[in-house]
Amino acid sequence: MSSTLVLLVYGGAAVLALAFLFFFHAKHWYWHGASVLIALGIGLIPIPVQYASPATDLTIGALVVFLLFWGLLAPLFRRPLNHREKHA
């Protein structure tokens, strides 16, 4: 597998996580903490031999990168405390 493809997929996962944080802001802290724990759990699970392929590695790696970025960078995208939504 070409390293350019790996860079594009992992970079796309990171940019997608940052875009979600930018547009939707950080949610409750426990969702982001859970995403980091889930990413670590997924990353530590061995892949069964019958599913081992470069495409599987790329898919799981992109999921781990997305969850780690979404979880670890959430404090940078919090809404200000004095921000109030305008209601009708």
Side-chain angles (χ1 to χ4, degrees), residues 24-80:
F24 301 116
H25 300 285
K27 300 300 174 195
H28 294 287
W29 65 269
Y30 47 82
W31 289 115
H32 297 285
S35 74
V36 171
L37 292 177
I38 291 169
L40 291 174
I42 290 172
L44 292 174
I45 294 174
I47 300 172
V49 176
Q50 65 267 26
Y51 298 118
S53 71
T56 304
D57 292 340
L58 194 62
T59 304
I60 292 172
L63 180 63
V64 168
V65 167
F66 175 82
L67 290 172
L68 279 176
F69 268 69
W70 189 71
L72 293 176
L73 297 179
L76 300 177
F77 291 92
R78 290 185 302 167
R79 287 185 185 215

